[in-house]
Amino acid sequence: MATSVRRTTLTLPLAALGPDNPLPALRGPEDAHRIEIPRDTALPTDMARQIGYRPLRSILPTRMRDGYGRDRRRTDLDALVIENDKLRATVLPGLGGRVYSLHHKPTGRELLYRNPVVQPAAFALNGAWFSGGIEWNIGATGHTTLSCAPLHAARVPAPDGGEMLRLWEWERLRDLPFQVDLWLPDGAEFLYVGVRIRNPHHHTAPVYWWSNTAVPEDEHTRVLAPAEAAWHFGYERTLRRVPVPESAGADRTYPLRSEFPADYFYDLPEDARPWIASLDRDGRGLVQTSTAALSGRKLFLWGAGRAGRRWQRWLTEPGTGGYAEIQAGLARTQLEHVPLDAGGEFSWLEAYGPLDADPAQVHGADWTAARGTVESRLAAVLPRDEVDAAYAAWLPYADVEPKEQLATGSGWGALEVARAGLDLPGTPFAPATLGAEQQPWLTLIRTGELPAAGPVPGPAPVAPAWRDLLESARPGPAVEYHLGLAQWHADDRAQAVRSWERALAHGAGCLPLYCLAVAESVAGETAHAADRFTQAFDCAVGSAGSDDPAVARPWRDALPALVREAVPVLLAVDRADAAAGMLAALRPAERAGGRFRLLAAQVLLAQGQPAAAREIFDEGFEIADLREGAEVLSDTWYAIAERLVAGDGPITAETAARARAEHPLPERYEFRMRPAETA
């Protein structure tokens, strides 16, 4: 059959994303990937430099996506299929362009781990993410903020005269456009993927890219790559070089021979062909390879321990099997950002397809022979020079304009084109995609002024060019508030505080109070932060009770997010009764949510009622947006247990040990991704 690109619909159990968090995301990303490098670890010079290069200070201008739950309902999802007589790839343009399935027709094999549900979980930089398939991660260390966002998609001519599927969007953390072109040459058994990231600005930009592929996992699954060593990152927060395949007494190329989740960033020789494969007991599975620019390779494994299995069940349906991830990136590790010069671009070609190798060699004791067998088979089915030739053939087509739009992403790229007059061949950000979120900023571009009304919760651009426009605009509540966001994003925090204080003086209302509370908290001024949060809460309650729906509705929606941040700060300064009052102000349905059940338990513990706090855990609750690497459930459980054991007396090492022995953490609350002694 001729290669085709077509629309279809997938019907899957899906937990709806719900609304984005309305409050600005001022805090930096969670620190699950923070590292402390041992002094005796000699990092390569480029790795050391890139690990420290331009880390995120916040996830502005994006917003947290934490409005989802765990109630899944069968839902129709728009999908795009690219297909020839050997492979069928199914893509979800509304969910980050995820390749949901890669089906090999001659054998009837699914080459990817295909999640039977779409269950958001808090793994992306801005929250919502789901597991399975092939995902495209751009922005900064972590899963992209576009994990559950729509991308633009279109039908485009392919180098061989057939059709390609193009995905593209404007990535807002780094303000860069990117594209992903997928095509299947007629009769090919490999899906080709051309990727391009452009820097249209007059300054160097930090770039992050990892293509993550979920593959089925069982006790016989082995992941192979052309490496003798790897950089190991465990959630103990360290990075160290270890031998491959065996370290700490086990062969870590088998994902289920580890207990805890971990990353293994393979240290590929400079001249090695980059590839990674996951093969089953019969030596069959998926291989991924690329041109040289995409030089990093990684295995992520959940491990066989209780927490890893718990996370696997959390992300999918119990009883449906687990997965590991084989990944490819621009750097050795995911802790690095790579500089892209002004006006420059990064581009490369990836290939995904089936591989069969002699199982006796794949699973043999000789690692050199095992990986040599796989590399020989890869060379036979897809020679390296064919990948390089396909890349060269694709490059001229990267600029070809789409001929039929198949899906629509956001309007933020169109806003940047309107501001800067950018010319981005191949990735049109059309004016028709501009929506209500972009309208105030179009007004700023055209008139030099923001609309005069006070600021309300919502998204806003914060890049340096927008800061310049705001600094030139007439001062007012909205201008000062948004200028503070842009200054905060630039790590000019003293200026941001001054702007928010001016916004208050202009009558901007609750938002600058919230921002000032976060600023005090980040600065370690916890008592002052508690005062500010209290003021912001009182303001929000008053606004939510307004007779004007335009005022009341945004703050009614924002109040739970505000309380969620305020309560831990109040508890930190021994204001448990005030924290309880904030929780009581929420609607019953909001208080019943898992996050607020946990906060209620923490408040009761702080009020000297550990038995009542324990009852909440015994009744059971789930925190739908529990963060990757979070230990708040186990920490709170053991804090309650220690107080129950110690009574009114001091908590000593002995009482803490008794608490752990007498009150073991229930499996439903076990999400620790590192050994308990390092937690």
Side-chain angles (χ1 to χ4, degrees):
M1 63 179 290
T3 300
S4 64
V5 177
R6 59 183 171 86
R7 290 187 174 96
T8 190
T9 300
L10 288 184
T11 303
L12 295 169
L14 176 142
L17 287 171
D20 288 354
N21 190 315
L23 298 177
L26 300 179
R27 298 185 186 273
E30 298 287 342
D31 67 350
H33 296 95
R34 174 179 55 81
I35 61 167
E36 297 173 3
I37 301 172
R39 291 186 178 182
D40 60 351
T41 300
L43 296 182
T45 303
D46 60 335
M47 183 191 295
R49 182 176 61 251
Q50 290 173 175
I51 285 176
Y53 178 57
R54 300 280 296 276
L56 287 184
R57 304 297 183 188
S58 74
I59 64 161
L60 290 172
T62 63
R63 291 192 292 168
M64 289 300 298
R65 310 203 73 177
D66 54 11
Y68 54 87
R70 293 187 59 79
D71 179 18
R72 297 192 287 264
R73 299 184 181 183
R74 293 191 67 79
T75 304
D76 290 339
L77 298 174
D78 291 334
L80 301 170
V81 173
I82 179 167
E83 183 173 17
N84 66 5
D85 57 349
K86 299 293 178 63
L87 285 175
R88 180 171 61 248
T90 304
V91 179
L92 301 177
L95 292 170
R98 184 77 58 98
V99 179
Y100 176 74
S101 168
L102 186 60
H103 179 77
H104 186 235
K105 294 181 177 182
T107 60
R109 287 157 48 195
E110 173 59 49
L111 301 180
L112 307 177
Y113 170 75
R114 187 174 57 188
N115 197 333
V117 304
V118 178
Q119 175 56 63
F123 278 64
L125 286 163
N126 62 338
W129 166 90
F130 67 104
S131 64
I134 307 172
E135 56 178 302
W136 318 111
N137 289 299
I138 182 173
T141 298
H143 295 277
T144 178
T145 61
L146 298 168
S147 291
C148 291
L151 303 190
H152 301 284
R155 200 188 311 266
V156 182
D160 63 349
E163 294 183 325
M164 286 194 298
L165 171 60
R166 175 165 298 161
L167 307 166
W168 74 98
E169 193 36 289
W170 189 276
E171 199 286 311
R172 300 186 71 206
L173 290 180
R174 302 304 195 180
D175 262 331
L176 300 175
F178 72 97
Q179 71 189 80
V180 178
D181 289 354
L182 302 97
W183 83 100
L184 287 166
D186 189 23
E189 291 201 326
F190 279 80
L191 173 68
Y192 286 158
V193 181
V195 181
R196 179 167 64 166
I197 303 169
R198 287 183 277 190
N199 179 6
H201 307 299
H202 298 294
H203 58 265
T204 300
V207 171
Y208 172 94
W209 182 279
W210 282 80
S211 303
N212 291 9
T213 304
V215 290
E217 163 214 71
D218 63 26
E219 65 270 25
H220 302 290
T221 301
R222 192 176 205 190
V223 172
L224 302 100
E228 297 280 358
W231 294 93
H232 169 264
F233 172 81
Y235 290 79
E236 302 96 328
R237 317 286 197 256
T238 61
L239 184 70
R240 55 193 175 87
R241 198 168 188 265
V242 298
V244 174
E246 291 192 11
S247 65
D251 187 334
R252 306 299 177 176
T253 62
Y254 290 89
L256 289 179
R257 294 186 186 177
S258 294
E259 182 179 2
F260 288 96
D263 298 331
Y264 288 91
F265 299 102
Y266 293 115
D267 198 357
L268 274 61
E270 194 168 322
D271 59 348
R273 179 181 186 179
W275 60 268
I276 189 167
S278 174
L279 304 180
D280 64 16
R281 68 184 304 164
D282 299 318
R284 303 190 309 175
L286 173 79
V287 65
Q288 187 272 1
T289 188
S290 69
T291 49
L294 198 70
S295 58
R297 290 299 184 276
K298 170 192 159 185
L299 162 64
F300 168 75
L301 54 86
W302 282 108
R306 192 167 77 144
R309 297 300 95 193
R310 179 75 176 104
W311 273 114
Q312 292 256 25
R313 293 192 297 276
W314 184 255
L315 297 172
T316 184
E317 288 280 13
T320 55
Y323 73 95
E325 287 186 1
I326 57 174
Q327 307 181 9
L330 279 176
R332 279 189 184 90
T333 74
Q334 289 172 335
L335 308 171
E336 302 169 63
H337 300 114
V338 182
L340 176 58
D341 292 339
E345 66 178 50
F346 289 142
S347 63
W348 62 89
L349 184 91
E350 304 180 44
Y352 297 81
L355 192 79
D356 296 275
D358 180 356
Q361 292 291 325
V362 167
H363 298 286
D366 187 330
W367 170 246
T368 300
R371 71 172 199 264
T373 295
V374 175
E375 188 147 18
S376 295
R377 286 293 298 140
L378 174 59
V381 297
L382 185 65
R384 185 174 190 174
D385 58 3
E386 283 191 19
V387 176
D388 292 338
Y391 171 64
W394 165 72
L395 271 179
Y397 286 80
D399 282 347
V400 172
E401 295 300 321
K403 62 181 183 179
E404 180 188 355
Q405 191 89 10
L406 299 172
T408 303
S410 78
W412 295 111
L415 182 67
E416 293 300 327
V417 168
R419 180 191 59 76
L422 302 175
D423 181 24
L424 298 168
T427 55
F429 294 97
T433 62
L434 292 163
E437 291 180 331
Q438 290 83 41
Q439 290 307 314
W441 306 99
L442 280 174
T443 301
L444 179 62
I445 293 170
R446 293 166 178 167
T447 69
E449 304 293 341
L450 269 182
V456 295
V462 294
W466 292 101
R467 177 178 176 174
D468 292 344
L469 288 169
L470 289 165
E471 286 176 337
S472 301
R474 184 186 304 117
V479 167
E480 298 292 356
Y481 164 70
H482 287 294
L483 179 57
L485 294 183
Q487 291 162 335
W488 184 268
H489 174 260
D491 208 26
D492 194 353
R493 297 192 167 182
Q495 287 288 2
V497 166
R498 283 192 280 272
S499 292
W500 291 327
E501 288 172 340
R502 288 195 298 270
L504 276 180
H506 282 292
C510 312
L511 276 172
L513 283 170
Y514 165 77
C515 293
L516 289 167
V518 175
E520 296 275 18
S521 178
V522 169
E525 299 290 341
T526 311
H528 291 152
D531 293 339
R532 289 287 197 186
F533 270 119
T534 300
Q535 293 170 4
F537 170 77
D538 291 342
C539 179
V541 169
S543 297
S546 170
D547 293 332
D548 182 353
V551 174
R553 188 179 305 110
W555 284 104
R556 207 176 296 129
D557 295 340
L559 193 59
L562 177 58
V563 169
R564 172 176 167 168
E565 286 201 59
V567 165
V569 176
L570 291 173
L571 292 179
V573 292
D574 298 324
R575 301 186 194 177
D577 291 345
M582 287 189 181
L583 290 173
L586 300 178
R587 291 172 283 197
E590 293 164 347
R591 292 199 303 273
R595 178 66 63 177
F596 294 102
R597 296 292 289 155
L598 174 64
L599 289 174
Q602 292 171 333
V603 167
L604 287 168
L605 178 62
Q607 290 176 322
Q609 303 180 63
R614 173 62 178 266
E615 286 179 8
I616 291 176
F617 274 83
D618 291 342
E619 290 167 2
F621 61 89
E622 291 183 328
I623 300 178
D625 62 332
L626 189 68
R627 195 76 189 171
E628 174 191 8
E631 294 166 352
V632 64
L633 286 171
S634 52
D635 288 349
T636 304
W637 171 271
Y638 285 122
I640 293 169
E642 287 168 358
R643 182 47 60 198
L644 289 172
V645 169
D648 294 331
I651 296 174
T652 65
E654 181 183 355
T655 55
R658 277 186 55 205
R660 278 159 173 72
E662 296 174 10
H663 301 272
L665 182 69
E667 190 272 345
R668 69 178 301 168
Y669 301 122
E670 178 60 274
F671 290 94
R672 291 173 292 184
M673 299 176 77
R674 54 180 174 159
E677 59 269 20
T678 64

